[in-house]
């Protein structure tokens, strides 16, 4: 009687088995200058359509025509003066709105009395279209620079207040209890618990405030203004100069992109301790 023996397969330890690499769930490594990809692609499509004759040059001039017009306006000093005027208006309103938004959010978020007096009033102000206040502000403040800065202030402070107040209200109560157990003073509690907890919401409101200040400026500079990018575009509309209008829009877009990128950069530096999907 013959017996056959079956060769046993070698036993492979668990740690020696080939492992399949799982696909990561994060968006991946941040690409350098990734946010410029969309605008550059749009510019390329615009140039290609203009070169192919798909766009009416009287309605949408080619990018090189707009660039030539912008260079001419810059050379004769018109564009420089308008840019400086717009920056001054937007900057003044933004600084006042930023200060008001933060102060009101802290007063409303840290005290019940402040919340009762401020939060409802701000939300009522938010429900009223800000640009609809222009006629009333003209009656109160005149038609000069003051009412323009006041409108920009309102446009800026509302998103900063809302997002900062929401972040303050969303701080976990366990951190408050821990601070009480540790015997932290009010000033130290604000410095170590409140401010770090409110910063993410504050930066969201700051980005919205920066964007909305430029949006409000476009409208305001077309009301009894004698300089500014909006005034330049309004005058170009009267004379059918679409290339000048596009120059103004491009400048607004560049300033908006630069200011938003600056806020993002500051946010990443200040909140470098956070681990998020965008990190």
């Amino acid at each position: 009687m013959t017996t056959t023996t079956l060769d046993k397969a070698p036993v492979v330890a668990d740690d020696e088995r080939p492992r399949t690499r799982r696909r990561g769930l994060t968006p991946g490594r941040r690409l350098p200058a990734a946010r410029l990809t969309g605008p550059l692609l749009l510019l390329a499509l615009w140039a290609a359509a203009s070169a192919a004759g798909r766009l009416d040059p009287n309605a949408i001039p080619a990018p090189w025509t707009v660039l030539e017009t912008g260079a001419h306006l810059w050379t004769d000093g018109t564009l420089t003066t308008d840019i400086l005027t717009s920056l001054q208006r937007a900057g003044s309103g933004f600084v006042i709105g930023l200060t008001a938004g933060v102060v009101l959010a802290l007063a409303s978020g840290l005290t019940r009395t402040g919340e009762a007096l401020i939060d409802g009033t701000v939300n009522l102000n938010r429900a009223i279209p800000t640009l609809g206040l222009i006629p009333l502000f003209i009656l109160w403040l005149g038609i000069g620079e003051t009412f323009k800065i006041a409108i920009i202030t309102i446009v800026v402070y509302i998103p900063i207040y809302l997002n900062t107040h929401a972040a303050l209200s969303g701080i976990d109560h366990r951190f408050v209890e821990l601070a009480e157990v540790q015997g932290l003073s009010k000033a130290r509690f604000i410095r170590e618990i409140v401010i770090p907890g409110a910063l993410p919401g504050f930066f969201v409101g700051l980005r919205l405030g920066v964007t909305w200040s430029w949006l409000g400026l476009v409208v305001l500079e077309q009301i009894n203004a004698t300089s500014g990018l909006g005034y330049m575009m309004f005058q170009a509309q009267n004379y059918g100069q679409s290339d000048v209008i596009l120059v103004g829009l491009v400048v607004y877009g560049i300033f908006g992109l630069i200011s938003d990128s600056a806020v993002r950069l500051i946010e990443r530096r200040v909140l470098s301790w956070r681990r998020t999907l965008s990190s």
Side-chain angles (χ1 to χ4, degrees), residues 91-105 152-158 160-161 164 202 205-207 209-210:
S92 300
F94 178 78
V95 170
I96 300 173
L98 171 63
T99 304
V102 172
V103 171
L104 292 175
I152 295 175
T153 298
I154 295 176
V155 168
V156 170
Y157 99 88
I158 289 178
I160 292 177
Y161 169 86
T164 306
F202 164 74
L206 186 62
R207 289 180 58 197
V210 169

Side-chain angles (χ1 to χ4, degrees), residues 66-108:
V66 175
L67 182 61
E68 182 180 354
T69 301
H72 175 70
L73 293 173
W74 181 273
T75 302
D76 65 14
T78 303
L79 187 59
T80 308
T81 303
D82 291 333
I83 288 176
L84 292 176
T85 302
S86 296
L87 286 175
Q88 182 178 2
R89 288 173 181 151
S92 300
F94 178 78
V95 170
I96 300 173
L98 171 63
T99 304
V102 172
V103 171
L104 292 175
L106 290 175
S108 177

Side-chain angles (χ1 to χ4, degrees), residues 90-263:
S92 300
F94 178 78
V95 170
I96 300 173
L98 171 63
T99 304
V102 172
V103 171
L104 292 175
L106 290 175
S108 177
L110 297 179
T111 63
R112 295 301 182 188
T113 303
E115 183 177 22
L117 295 175
I118 297 173
D119 192 59
T121 306
V122 174
N123 279 279
L124 177 63
N125 189 183
R126 178 174 66 94
I128 300 174
T130 304
L131 297 181
L133 296 173
I134 290 178
L136 188 61
F137 272 60
I138 291 177
L139 291 176
W140 288 349
L141 304 174
I143 205 166
E145 294 294 315
T146 306
F147 102 90
K148 296 181 178 66
I149 295 175
I151 293 294
I152 295 175
T153 298
I154 295 176
V155 168
V156 170
Y157 99 88
I158 289 178
I160 292 177
Y161 169 86
L162 291 176
N163 287 276
T164 306
H165 182 269
L168 287 171
S169 302
I171 295 177
D172 198 323
H173 196 270
R174 289 174 293 182
F175 291 121
V176 181
E177 296 174 350
L178 179 61
E180 292 174 348
V181 171
Q182 296 294 326
L184 298 184
S185 63
K186 188 73 172 181
R188 191 177 174 189
F189 168 70
I190 294 176
R191 185 174 66 252
E192 298 183 7
I193 304 294
V194 173
I195 293 179
L199 280 177
F202 164 74
F203 278 110
V204 173
L206 186 62
R207 289 180 58 197
L208 292 174
V210 169
T211 303
W212 290 6
S213 66
W214 291 112
L215 296 177
L217 189 65
V218 176
V219 179
L220 294 170
E221 287 188 332
Q222 298 182 23
I223 301 175
N224 195 46
T226 57
S227 61
L229 291 172
Y231 169 76
M232 181 187 74
M233 294 167 61
F234 181 72
Q235 292 295 105
Q237 174 195 346
N238 294 332
Y239 293 99
Q241 299 172 316
S242 56
D243 54 342
V244 177
I245 296 176
L246 284 175
V247 168
L249 291 176
V250 169
V251 173
Y252 274 127
I254 291 174
F255 281 145
L257 184 61
I258 291 175
S259 56
D260 184 73
S261 299
V263 174

